[in-house]
Amino acid sequence: MFKPVRLAVVVLLCGVSHTPAIAEDPAVTAARFGALEDVRQIAISPDGAHISYVVHFGPAGQLMYVADLSGKEVPKPIVRQTEKGMSLRRCSWTTDDRLICQLRIVVSEPGYFLGYSRMFAVNSDGSNVAKLTIDVNSNSLRMIQNGGDVIARVVADKPGHVLMTRQYSPESTTGYITAKISEGLGVEDIDTVTLKRVGVEKANSSAFDYIADGTGVVRVMGTRTLDDDGLMKARLRYTFRKLGDRNWQLLSQVTETDGVEKGLYPVAVDSVSDVAYGFGDKEGHRALYSVALNGSGKSTLLLARPDVDIDSVIQIGRDERVVGASYATERRNIEFFDPELKKLGVALGQALPGNPNIDFIDASADENKLLLLASSDTNPGIFYVYDKTTRKLGEILPVRSLLASTTLAEMKPVSYPAADGTFIPAYLTLPVGSTGKGIPAIVMPHGGPSSRDEWGFDWLVQFFAARGYAVLQPNYRGSAGYGSDWYRRNGFQSWRTAIGDVNDAGRWLQKQGIAAPGKLAIVGWSYGGYAALQTSVLDADLFKAIIAVAPVTDLEKLRSESSRFANSLLVDKFIGHGAHISEGSPAQNAAKIKAPVLMFHGDQDENVGIGESRFMLSKLRSAGKQAELIEFPGLDHYLDDGAVRAKLLSTSDVFLRKALKIE
């Protein structure tokens, strides 16, 4: 049996204090729950001696620290990012003293926003910063949004090298300089120390993905069919190479219909067993397969379930070897293929309090030190390092220090009957100490709609539970993860079923006596915001207050938002055509809404333009309805600003208490 043993305590030096005593002031509660995570991202060095971690800094910035796991040195900030519209992410080690990171940048263009990424390298002491992305020049005919992705952190016999994709832009001829005509996605071998680069895969205008094996050899390429105008079609083609062969052979073809993939979708390659791992259909559910890359085409079913989809592979180590697969039933489950990790995962879960979920985040080069995250519904998460040699587990950093001493509410799986008798899986969170009867209640549909809720910490849910609300999160039909029959034609085209299930969640809360009479509200973000607004089309009297964050409000507007982009055909097909466009758009049915509406939206939202909320507001007010929209300048779909999230929470609480007449 393992016992948590503190190897080292790393103290954050970014202005995060120890958890104060819980205050009863609602504004203080909102600030604690709305605060962003202390740690945004974390990685361990190849020798296992140091970690890097990114923390939030100021209203919109990030800091990256490097810390000595022995505790002998004070953590040192090495990268500071303070610009609005930028974010630091995907940092990892290439050597014991060199790291690479990605900068995500949102640029405002007339009428829309564009996302860019740029890669850079930096020494672990903050010196020798160098850009890895090859940018455009005055002769370039295309802008470069994709600044590259690392597809291999290990290149055999080349310490410090990585394989990174590169987006090539064609260039015009100027004077005596002949034009470069390369266009599309290629791959380069980059020495992150000397910055020397060598082309590995030439540019391919149809390529969107490359997969390398654990030795840094590109084995799989994904290409997408384009129409004559360069717009994406819903057909993918994957090819592979046998070891030592440069010729591409067909691996699989994938078609996308209403968000459901048919065909094998590869995600990883194992160089030892010489197979590709990928997801494919098995009786209407996503399953995990391996396919031999020796030319035989032999396919082996590795993991499948009749109730839920297998949705991810578990990879570990610098060579990112596949060690298991994961799926979510009532809780997230991992099936390990690696016997040692299977045993370790069970032991860690038993040793840590609360039987938390265990996620393996990173590992040293020899895999003797494992970086992991333990979290649960009542624990936002704590990062640990496990040393296989000493069999000791050391606590490193909490994910949310401001909630460390707060007793959080338990999230329990339940199911309720829809109108047609189908039982809908959901999660119910009741306030700590509550009897669960006769209290104000909230239905909180998830976003997506190609998503689902899972058991675990949720800052929105926990805030409302702390303020005395019961919260029910339904995985309505139209959610992902339960197979193609459950997904239907997605939550927009099948909106009547999806929204009907959401409304039935509210009715169940009433029938169970959980929701007090007249004290039932609905709160949602993105598609969840759409669902919150659209519920009134089917039953205007059910919910007494509506809160929608960054909601879709008009399906035709949502379609038009993609018209400038290469995925416009895919979005058009996803939304579909027919009567549901008007019937399924809240803004077109604003007159049916009776409950007061509160909306929030960032004005740099790439996912759902703020024009959707502004349009909804105008429609509601024109219909004489009570409605308010709070806009947040400079923020995107996720509102990654602690002060803004605190305002969202406190304003929502005041709004709900007034609308539901809670004293």
Side-chain angles (χ1 to χ4, degrees):
M1 183 72 69
F2 295 92
K3 294 182 179 179
V5 178
R6 187 178 297 272
L7 295 178
V9 178
V10 180
V11 181
L12 292 177
L13 301 179
C14 55
V16 178
S17 62
H18 291 291
T19 305
I22 297 177
E24 294 300 325
D25 183 346
V28 175
T29 303
R32 287 192 297 110
F33 282 94
L36 300 177
E37 305 94 328
D38 294 350
V39 181
R40 183 184 181 99
Q41 192 253 336
I42 189 168
I44 193 168
S45 62
D47 61 6
H50 294 82
I51 59 169
S52 62
Y53 56 95
V54 178
V55 304
H56 292 280
F57 176 72
Q62 300 88 37
L63 280 174
M64 182 167 69
Y65 284 82
V66 167
D68 174 12
L69 284 176
S70 71
K72 296 177 182 178
E73 300 175 5
V74 174
K76 180 180 180 180
I78 66 166
V79 176
R80 181 191 303 261
Q81 193 297 112
T82 59
E83 296 294 325
K84 266 197 171 185
M86 287 191 183
S87 59
L88 184 64
R89 56 183 68 184
R90 297 186 185 178
C91 296
S92 61
W93 298 75
T94 62
T95 69
D96 292 333
D97 51 15
R98 189 74 165 159
L99 299 102
I100 52 174
C101 292
Q102 182 190 76
L103 269 178
R104 171 72 175 169
I105 308 157
V106 178
V107 176
S108 175
E109 300 288 347
Y112 62 99
F113 296 93
L114 283 178
Y116 293 78
S117 64
R118 294 295 181 264
M119 299 291 295
F120 69 93
V122 59
N123 285 346
S124 59
D125 62 1
S127 65
N128 194 19
V129 180
K131 187 168 71 171
L132 299 181
T133 299
I134 299 294
D135 225 329
V136 296
N137 57 45
S138 59
N139 295 327
S140 299
L141 301 177
R142 304 276 190 277
M143 58 187 173
I144 301 296
Q145 286 183 256
N146 177 5
D149 292 303
V150 175
I151 62 171
R153 289 192 296 168
V154 173
V155 180
D157 302 321
K158 294 181 179 180
H161 285 239
V162 299
L163 291 189
M164 196 174 92
T165 59
R166 176 181 171 182
Q167 190 74 44
Y168 288 82
S169 171
E171 297 179 3
S172 61
T173 298
T174 303
Y176 60 87
I177 300 177
T178 303
K180 296 179 181 179
I181 60 174
S182 296
E183 181 175 12
L185 194 67
V187 178
E188 292 184 322
D189 175 339
I190 301 177
D191 185 330
T192 60
V193 178
T194 67
L195 305 184
K196 291 182 179 179
R197 55 209 308 142
V198 176
V200 173
E201 300 295 337
K202 64 181 181 180
N204 186 318
S205 59
S206 299
F208 68 92
D209 189 23
Y210 293 94
I211 303 175
D213 64 20
T215 66
V217 177
V218 177
R219 301 294 303 281
V220 174
M221 175 175 64
T223 56
R224 185 185 293 274
T225 303
L226 305 175
D227 72 0
D228 293 339
D229 296 319
L231 301 179
M232 299 176 185
K233 291 185 176 181
R235 291 194 300 274
L236 309 179
R237 188 172 187 268
Y238 288 93
T239 52
F240 77 98
R241 287 191 181 120
K242 293 192 291 185
L243 280 174
D245 190 345
R246 293 293 296 174
N247 295 314
W248 292 109
Q249 300 182 42
L250 180 65
L251 177 66
S252 66
Q253 297 190 78
V254 179
T255 58
E256 299 171 359
T257 303
D258 301 325
V260 178
E261 296 156 353
K262 297 292 184 180
L264 184 80
Y265 181 84
V267 293
V269 172
D270 184 275
S271 58
V272 177
S273 56
D274 198 24
V275 300
Y277 293 92
F279 296 109
D281 180 77
K282 186 177 190 306
E283 298 175 356
H285 287 84
R286 176 182 282 192
L288 180 66
Y289 294 84
S290 67
V291 180
L293 298 182
N294 59 9
S296 69
K298 181 182 178 182
S299 176
T300 303
L301 175 64
L302 299 177
L303 187 61
R305 288 184 63 91
D307 52 349
V308 296
D309 296 336
I310 311 302
D311 55 25
S312 62
V313 294
I314 308 301
Q315 296 175 262
I316 198 167
R318 296 179 55 74
D319 58 357
E320 297 184 346
R321 64 188 180 95
V322 174
V323 295
S326 181
Y327 58 89
T329 52
E330 291 181 346
R331 285 185 55 164
R332 173 62 52 176
N333 300 274
I334 297 177
E335 295 283 346
F336 283 105
F337 308 144
D338 183 288
E340 181 185 15
L341 285 174
K342 181 176 183 178
K343 183 179 179 180
L344 178 60
V346 172
L348 290 172
Q350 293 173 345
L352 293 169
N355 190 26
N357 287 335
I358 304 294
D359 295 313
F360 291 95
I361 306 299
D362 201 2
S364 58
D366 59 9
E367 294 189 19
N368 280 332
K369 288 187 178 179
L370 303 176
L371 183 62
L372 58 94
L373 172 67
S375 64
S376 70
D377 55 341
T378 58
N379 177 5
I382 297 174
F383 290 104
Y384 295 88
V385 166
Y386 177 70
D387 190 321
K388 288 183 181 180
T389 304
T390 63
R391 293 171 59 87
K392 290 183 179 180
L393 183 68
E395 181 179 328
I396 302 300
L397 292 164
V399 175
R400 293 177 181 267
S401 61
L402 292 180
L403 296 176
S405 62
T406 303
T407 301
L408 299 176
E410 293 184 7
M411 181 184 189
K412 296 183 178 180
V414 297
S415 63
Y416 64 88
D420 63 2
T422 301
F423 276 83
I424 309 301
Y427 295 96
L428 177 64
T429 303
L430 298 175
V432 175
S434 168
T435 63
K437 298 295 181 180
I439 58 178
I442 293 170
V443 173
M444 189 178 292
H446 62 74
S450 305
S451 182
R452 60 157 289 176
D453 276 316
E454 291 189 34
W455 182 86
F457 174 81
D458 186 308
W459 61 276
L460 272 175
V461 172
Q462 289 294 337
F463 169 76
F464 286 118
R467 296 295 294 147
Y469 301 88
V471 182
L472 184 64
Q473 299 168 269
N475 279 321
Y476 48 83
R477 283 170 286 185
S479 301
Y482 295 92
S484 56
D485 287 346
W486 194 266
Y487 184 77
R488 303 285 168 119
R489 291 180 58 82
N490 74 58
F492 290 127
Q493 296 194 46
S494 301
W495 75 268
R496 287 186 182 276
T497 301
I499 302 304
D501 290 350
V502 172
N503 279 348
D504 286 333
R507 297 186 185 103
W508 182 81
L509 286 170
Q510 292 176 328
K511 291 177 182 177
Q512 295 296 310
I514 298 172
K519 291 181 171 40
L520 180 63
I522 185 165
V523 178
W525 199 309
S526 193
Y527 179 89
Y530 162 87
L533 294 165
Q534 188 66 5
T535 53
S536 289
V537 176
L538 297 183
D539 188 344
D541 296 314
L542 181 60
F543 296 107
K544 306 305 179 184
I546 299 170
I547 296 177
V549 186
V552 172
T553 68
D554 186 272
L555 297 184
E556 205 56 66
K557 280 189 172 295
L558 182 65
R559 191 198 317 276
S560 68
E561 288 179 28
S562 70
S563 61
R564 296 182 177 94
F565 302 100
N567 68 342
S568 60
L569 290 179
L570 302 181
V571 174
D572 177 75
K573 189 171 184 178
F574 182 81
I575 295 172
H577 296 266
H580 71 278
I581 297 300
S582 58
E583 295 171 357
S585 293
Q588 301 301 328
N589 297 275
K592 295 181 179 180
I593 296 177
K594 293 183 180 180
V597 174
L598 174 62
M599 294 181 290
F600 301 92
H601 217 130
D603 71 356
Q604 289 192 5
D605 193 331
E606 297 175 80
N607 300 56
V608 181
I610 193 172
E612 299 252 6
S613 286
R614 291 170 178 168
F615 185 55
M616 187 74 203
L617 181 67
S618 67
K619 286 289 189 177
L620 285 168
R621 288 185 172 173
S622 295
K625 308 298 179 177
Q626 181 182 336
E628 181 182 2
L629 168 61
I630 296 177
E631 300 186 12
F632 296 117
L635 292 180
D636 64 12
H637 193 66
Y638 305 99
L639 302 180
D640 281 332
D641 184 310
V644 164
R645 288 188 175 185
K647 181 178 179 180
L648 182 153
L649 294 177
S650 59
T651 304
S652 295
D653 188 32
V654 170
F655 169 79
L656 291 176
R657 290 179 182 278
K658 180 180 179 181
L660 302 181
K661 300 178 182 177
I662 301 172
E663 297 181 359

